[in-house]
Amino acid sequence: MSIKLQGVIPPVPTIFDAQESFDAGGMGRLIDRLLESEVNGFLFLGSAGEFATLPHEQRKAIAEFCVGRVEKKKPVIIGTASCATREVVDLSEHAGRIGADAVMVVNPYYAKLNEARLYRHYREIAEKSPLPVLLYNFPILTGQELSVELVGRLAADCPNIVGIKDTVDCMSHIRRLIFEIKGARPEFMVFSGFDEYMLDTLMIGGDGVIPATSNFAPEITCGIYRAFCEQDFPTAQRLLTRLAILSRMYSIDVPFTGVIKEAIRLCGLDIPTAALAPASAPDEATKDVLKKILVQAGVLPG
């Protein structure tokens, strides 16, 4: 089983109303706007999609809505991670039944596992998933890194594990994945999870980026990707400077989910910005900081 993903794939936030119910109207408007942009696909129910605070059956319902709304116009990845292997398998099988194109699985994020158990976790998922599986490495949140050696074993032993989103604040980790894993298995896809590493990742042979900023300013990341493909590096550098300014937004609130939704709203899309408790929408002071960043990056007028 294989799939080719590349370019800019936004990790789409899940939209909720003030009562924390799924807002299908707002979600549909966001998907429709992204479909009109140059993004190359979608990731639903990842970190920005608040998968970890959603009940199992609601995750399935939201995944079904999102896949149906995209209507095969662009590839769809569904986040199916859980601390329980059986739940990942169930959610991945469901993603296959509803017509998604791939699943993405971050490692279990409560109890740390030795590499033998991590290997068994991912191998069982890969063997039972009807869809290609992308690994998701986000150690600052899970408390445990997927080592290059572990990724290499999984890539070598599991044909259905087809790539990785590497959200590590260190280009050397991405470099090793590209040179060592992709070097041995060229079709293995490596995506940067941090926006600012997008161009570096592409320049050394990676496949793209999965950046939350593309939910409200896709012209920046998509512009960088287009400039890279056209070898227009002056344009890429100008846009990368704007992207570096935008990336400051990730540090102004924890978690950053509400900030992304507020940025989408400020950029002209009428959506509620509620987040599932214990997260919440940003306060007024945070909104003011966000507006200044958006203005400085040229996303909003000054």
Side-chain angles (χ1 to χ4, degrees):
M1 189 179 301
S2 64
I3 185 174
K4 179 58 180 174
L5 301 167
Q6 61 187 11
V8 178
I9 299 175
V12 185
T14 307
I15 307 304
F16 302 100
D17 63 23
Q19 289 72 46
E20 298 190 2
S21 296
F22 176 61
D23 189 319
M27 193 78 199
R29 290 191 296 276
L30 176 55
I31 291 171
D32 290 348
R33 188 166 79 167
L34 288 169
L35 279 169
E36 294 173 357
S37 75
E38 293 184 53
V39 301
N40 302 101
F42 296 87
L43 167 62
F44 297 110
L45 296 168
S47 300
E50 300 178 72
F51 78 91
T53 45
L54 281 165
H56 185 87
E57 292 305 318
Q58 191 173 18
R59 290 175 67 177
K60 289 183 177 180
I62 292 170
E64 188 165 355
F65 173 88
C66 294
V67 170
R69 190 72 173 218
V70 175
E71 293 184 314
K72 291 291 184 182
K73 294 171 183 173
K74 297 184 182 184
V76 170
I77 307 166
I78 299 295
T80 58
S82 170
C83 290
T85 306
R86 286 187 300 173
E87 185 173 26
V88 180
V89 169
D90 182 58
L91 290 168
S92 298
E93 290 174 343
H94 175 262
R97 289 194 298 273
I98 64 175
D101 298 285
V103 297
M104 180 174 287
V105 183
V106 78
N107 53 289
Y109 43 86
Y110 179 71
K112 287 188 177 182
L113 303 173
N114 62 30
E115 289 213 343
R117 292 189 173 100
L118 276 174
Y119 176 86
R120 288 200 298 272
H121 172 73
Y122 277 115
R123 181 155 186 165
E124 181 174 348
I125 292 163
E127 290 173 347
K128 293 181 178 179
S129 173
L131 297 175
V133 177
L134 290 97
L135 309 175
Y136 182 9
N137 186 34
F138 202 170
I140 195 171
L141 291 188
T142 64
Q144 185 169 19
E145 181 174 281
L146 300 182
S147 70
V148 175
E149 292 74 20
L150 174 62
V151 175
R153 284 185 64 204
L154 289 166
D157 297 346
C158 306
N160 203 30
I161 292 180
V162 298
I164 186 169
K165 175 185 178 182
D166 202 37
T167 308
V168 175
D169 197 8
C170 177
M171 261 309 294
S172 64
H173 195 269
I174 297 174
R175 170 180 51 78
R176 286 192 64 199
L177 289 171
I178 293 170
F179 289 176
E180 297 177 31
I181 314 302
K182 196 174 179 67
R185 184 181 161 187
E187 74 278 10
F188 189 83
M189 296 171 285
V190 177
F191 289 87
S192 168
F194 280 119
D195 307 39
E196 291 178 276
Y197 293 150
M198 173 184 183
L199 187 57
D200 288 336
T201 298
L202 290 167
M203 290 286 287
I204 62 173
D207 296 271
V209 64
I210 301 178
T213 56
S214 59
N215 285 291
F216 60 88
E219 67 277 7
I220 295 180
T221 43
C222 293
I224 293 171
Y225 184 62
R226 184 172 63 253
F228 167 78
C229 292
E230 296 173 354
Q231 303 290 283
D232 180 3
F233 294 113
T235 296
Q237 182 58 55
R238 287 194 297 272
L239 290 171
L240 192 64
T241 299
R242 295 176 63 192
L243 185 59
I245 294 168
L246 273 188
S247 294
R248 291 169 46 207
M249 67 187 296
Y250 291 118
S251 63
I252 65 174
D253 202 6
V254 180
F256 63 82
T257 312
V259 171
I260 298 300
K261 295 178 186 182
E262 179 65 18
I264 293 168
R265 189 190 67 80
L266 288 170
C267 289
L269 189 66
D270 181 22
I271 59 165
T273 60
L276 296 181
S280 61
D283 59 23
E284 292 304 317
T286 302
K287 290 179 184 179
D288 288 341
V289 174
L290 174 62
K291 289 177 187 176
K292 291 176 183 176
I293 291 173
L294 296 176
V295 169
Q296 188 179 1
V299 175
L300 292 181

